[in-house]
Amino acid sequence: MTKARRYMTVNSFLTEMLTMSLKSLTHLQRLEAESIHIMREVVAEAENPVMLYSVGKDSAVMLHLAKKAFYPAPPPFPLLHVDTTWKFRDMYALRDKAAKDAGMELLVYQNPEAVEKGINPFDHGSLHTDMWKTEGLKQALDKYGFDVAFGGARRDEEKSRAKERVFSFRSANHRWDPKNQRPELWRLYNARKAKGESVRVFPISNWTELDIWQYIHLEGIEIVPLYFSAPRPTVERDGLILMVDDERFRLNAGEEPVMRSVRFRTLGCYPLTGAVESHATTLPEVIQEMLLTTTSERQGRAIDHDQAASMEKKKQEGYF
Amino acid sequence: MTVNDPIYKTDALIAENIDAYLETHQHKTMLRFITCGSVDDGKSTLIGRLLYDSKMIFEDQLATLEADSKRVGTQGQEIDFALLVDGLAAEREQGITIDVAYRFFATEKRKFIVADTPGHEQYTRNMVTGASTADLAVILIDARKGMLTQTRRHSYLVKLLGIRHIVLAVNKMDLVDYDQATFDRIVAEYTSFAQSIGIESFTAIPISGFKGDNITGLSDNMPWYTGTALLPHLETVEVDATVEQSQPFRMSVQWVNRPNLDFRGFSGLIASGTVRPGDQIRVLPSGKTSTIARIVSLEGDRDLAVAGESVTLTLADEIDCSRGQVIVAAQAPLEVADQFESTIVWMDEAEMVPGRAYWLKIGTQTVSATIHAPKYEVNVNTQEHLATKTLDLNAIGVANVTTDREIPFAPYAENRDLGGFILIDKMTNRTVAAGMIHFALRRAQNIHWQATDIGRDHHANMKHQKPAVLWLTGLSGSGKSTIANIIEKKLARMNRHTFLLDGDNVRHGLNKDLGFTEADRVENIRRVGEVAKLMTDAGLIVVTAFISPFRSERDMVRGMMQPGEFIEVFVDTPLEVAEGRDVKGLYAKARSGQLKNFTGIDSPYEAPDAAEIRIDTTQISAEEAADLIIARLIP
């Protein structure tokens, strides 16, 4: 009794302190407020917005923020997954569940030409990304007439993204012109555009990889199990550890899948995404590994290995 | 200290107790700062150094960096940190950053967002953009060169944008043998300059970004410096959130959340103050009052929200409240006005056109606004006031702004969110300027519209007609005046009460003080629009014949009239045809250079893209054109 009573006194004292003194916002609270503000601004000004949803951790955070921004209403726009048919099976499972939980419509788009030609990462090299992702995205946006698309890109991902605006304008043929972007001051975003033009909006521009992980931890956001270590069938090829996620994976002569304890730092098409050997099975352990690691996040992706400026070229062509 | 020894090495806590580490890091605060310096002040090197020392550079990036340093670096075989932050491909070749880039790093105490902006002359625009969201500015000076013109410019802009915390980083101390006298001399010079432009305080730190002196800890090379090193200073400087929280409550309504008939929430980011259920509020500009019922969130209702948070509020009463309105503490309302004196920073290649209507976005509201001719331009290097008629790219001036309706606001010095605005060109949709409100002009408050007993309907009914404006636009010599004249004669025969306003004629009287510059042409059309409006109020059918070359001015006049009353007639005559006719000999004069700013020759004509009527004069006669237009007016 005495103990409980003292607890209450301490508690009410703390409440008193809280209401009397001013509250200093943490970095995550400031980032959250900014992202929500950006999303609401889009919904207020766009005609037909959509959220690009790639099922990764950044998409998970973006979706969670959207739920917060519009609560108690569901986010007033659909989710769009530009599919390549080559994502991990776990990703497809979470994609469908997350959309359902959020009460949002899920649109899945596959470039019909890529479907027909059977474009795949084994035979077609960079054409795989061009046709499924770059072309697929353009086609999907045109098909539904979306004028604003939310994307989960962050400025800390690599150098050319550091200069990307939050509201990034694209010409009628989806091209990005780095010399012709609008200045963004204070919290004022200019969303006006001519017919045919569109805007890519990046609400989590100012989040870093660590912020993302901390927020997922703090808010208990569901992410794809592939981010956690588990024994998985893998092969080692060109310095990358690749997961043999289904029977379509073509083994080279002499290659034999080996069970390794691995997890993924970023998720894409499974034959193109390198795993890291790890024993991290909880979020704090994943964050611990991330902080102790010595290589950058994108290193696991084959796309921008060749030259530092390759992402920039891709972006001008319309890659997200 | 060497480059291989970053002091902010991986925290031992990460390896030992990750949960404790996460707990600490969830309570970090955030500081946004801007670095300002000239091309050679070592700004990129300093930022690269901060990223490196705070362990934000990974091995693969370091490998790329080492290779790049040897290939294009400017530091010989040593690591060129500047390459870490110099962005886009084209810029890397030139060796200069030409935009605003945002960088991120974190220490145990804080997360930092750095706005990296270029220092050279033509990029005031970028620095103003970067400074608009910064809590602190680091102004870099090369110890060998001392204060430069750029230093004055950067300091003036930092002060203009209202950044309260300033660090004067005297860089490259290694190149002046860590000499205290050099540092003291620069600080003394800067102190007197800072006072002259109203900077009340700053912190001076002698550093070497390249060598790492006084960055993360005090350097042995400068024992005479007993202050704080740069990074510890950035970690501990007080963030201004508390200043905003102690002001009265203000929130611009961003979005009305209405999932069903039982719920009506008002979403927005709190610009200042705090809010609790039960607080008395007022909605501006309507002035309606109510009480906060709930602060709604996904995790359940909250009992307190503070400046800087995005929230959804419900009110106890059903009162009108929509996007753009501002919810404020009932006992401390904001001022509401439609005329302001403001500082304007021009950011577009096309110069400002006084009198033209632009979109003005402030808070969550977008209104139509016109900028008056600047009172003066400020020389950003010397802070002198210069006389000017307009502002061009990167120019800063002070001008009055008139909005088409009253808006709630606070002076920029009090609150960035409620006093800062952008201007958007109505045709190109580009963000052309940033503005900061000083104060409201009293003029608007004292002149009220005089309601008259005989209204416009009465005037029109007496004449048995519907007032209208037939606005003929087209090149000089396209046939506007000829067609307008025939229209008026035909309408007179039909007993309609009309008046013809002709371009040449009004310039003999009403507009004889105006020339043919872009600004004067805008004013010419504005006055004609106002006269036409008075005439429609009097019940008349007004026919006008003006080149009126700019879309935005034609749209401005359209906006003055009642819906449906403005009928735009595009008298479409190709330039060669109009020039071939050359009734007044003006094209010949323009071609020979005797006439400046002649539409179609050295001044543009923006053809209408949605005119109510288009007349192709190469296909039909003036008579037929007049009949066509009248048929549209009186079906």
Side-chain angles (χ1 to χ4, degrees), chain B residues 302-581:
Chain B
R302 300 173 52 186
D303 51 18
L304 171 74
V306 303
E309 292 188 291
S310 283
V311 295
T312 297
L313 309 174
T314 64
L315 303 180
D317 310 278
E318 278 233 0
I319 57 171
D320 256 4
C321 184
S322 55
R323 174 168 166 87
Q325 301 192 309
V326 185
I327 302 179
V328 302
Q331 74 284 5
L334 280 173
E335 232 183 309
V336 172
D338 61 3
Q339 287 208 16
F340 312 91
E341 185 192 88
S342 307
T343 296
I344 309 273
V345 182
W346 201 256
M347 301 188 153
D348 200 56
E349 309 278 341
E351 66 177 22
M352 163 180 149
V353 182
R356 172 169 289 179
Y358 294 95
W359 294 119
L360 181 151
K361 186 170 184 183
I362 180 166
T364 56
Q365 184 165 37
T366 305
V367 297
S368 187
T370 50
I371 319 301
H372 300 242
K375 295 178 180 176
Y376 56 85
E377 181 182 337
V378 180
N379 178 327
V380 287
N381 298 327
T382 60
Q383 289 75 53
E384 277 175 302
H385 294 183
L386 312 167
T388 185
K389 289 194 167 149
T390 182
L391 297 173
D392 51 17
L393 181 61
N394 292 312
I396 297 176
V398 170
N400 289 345
V401 178
T402 304
T403 53
D404 70 346
R405 72 191 90 147
E406 296 200 312
I407 53 175
F409 76 99
Y412 180 80
E414 240 170 63
N415 190 294
R416 282 177 171 183
D417 288 327
L418 298 165
F421 61 85
I422 54 171
L423 295 175
I424 301 165
D425 186 286
K426 289 191 171 184
M427 300 318 299
T428 64
N429 290 323
R430 293 165 69 93
T431 301
V432 292
M436 287 151 278
I437 294 179
H438 300 173
F439 49 78
L441 300 172
R442 301 293 153 205
R443 196 166 47 165
Q445 293 175 358
N446 296 326
I447 301 173
H448 295 288
W449 187 259
Q450 188 63 48
T452 50
D453 292 332
I454 307 293
R456 70 192 318 273
D457 290 347
H458 188 88
H459 290 298
N461 289 339
M462 279 174 70
K463 298 181 179 67
H464 305 290
Q465 64 185 31
K466 229 169 92 1
V469 178
L470 290 168
W471 188 275
L472 277 61
T473 170
L475 294 171
S476 174
S478 61
K480 295 180 302 296
S481 295
T482 310
I483 297 171
N485 206 31
I486 299 172
I487 294 173
E488 201 183 23
K489 279 197 287 190
K490 289 188 183 238
L491 286 172
R493 261 184 256 135
M494 297 162 78
N495 283 322
R496 293 304 201 274
H497 298 257
T498 61
F499 197 85
L500 172 58
L501 286 168
D502 183 83
D504 285 348
N505 297 354
V506 298
R507 280 187 179 274
H508 285 285
L510 177 66
N511 292 351
K512 70 196 233 182
D513 56 325
L514 300 176
F516 288 89
T517 62
E518 208 172 336
D520 280 0
R521 295 184 123 164
V522 171
E523 177 60 13
N524 182 41
I525 297 302
R526 189 192 68 81
R527 289 185 196 173
V528 171
E530 291 289 356
V531 170
K533 181 169 180 270
L534 289 174
M535 287 181 168
T536 58
D537 283 348
L540 294 175
I541 296 169
V542 187
V543 187
T544 70
F546 292 85
I547 298 173
S548 47
F550 306 121
R551 254 180 238 129
S552 48
E553 278 66 61
R554 296 193 300 263
D555 287 347
M556 172 174 77
V557 177
R558 182 187 290 274
M560 291 176 188
M561 308 302 165
Q562 301 291 316
E565 273 185 12
F566 183 85
I567 300 168
E568 190 173 6
V569 180
F570 177 26
V571 183
D572 191 0
T573 304
L575 180 63
E576 320 80 75
V577 178
E579 189 170 357
R581 293 179 191 156

Side-chain angles (χ1 to χ4, degrees), chain A residues 23 163 187 211 294 296, chain B residues 59-60 91 111 245 417:
Chain A
K23 183 177 155 190
K163 302 187 178 194
R187 293 184 180 114
D211 297 330
T294 52
S296 69
Chain B
E59 262 174 17
D60 53 331
E91 300 167 29
K111 169 187 169 114
Q245 284 180 30
D417 288 327

Side-chain angles (χ1 to χ4, degrees), chain A residues 26-41:
Chain A
T26 67
H27 72 298
L28 291 175
Q29 285 170 325
R30 276 181 78 175
L31 290 170
E32 180 188 80
E34 179 186 65
S35 302
I36 289 175
H37 177 261
I38 291 164
M39 288 182 182
R40 288 173 174 169
E41 205 59 16

Side-chain angles (χ1 to χ4, degrees), chain A residues 3-14:
Chain A
K3 207 171 175 185
R5 219 183 146 128
R6 195 162 69 205
Y7 174 75
M8 274 183 62
T9 317
V10 169
N11 200 24
S12 57
F13 172 68
L14 281 175

Side-chain angles (χ1 to χ4, degrees), chain A residues 196-213:
Chain A
E197 288 174 353
S198 60
V199 196
R200 309 278 167 91
V201 174
F202 305 111
I204 55 168
S205 283
N206 286 328
W207 296 58
T208 61
E209 189 183 4
L210 179 58
D211 297 330
I212 293 285
W213 282 121

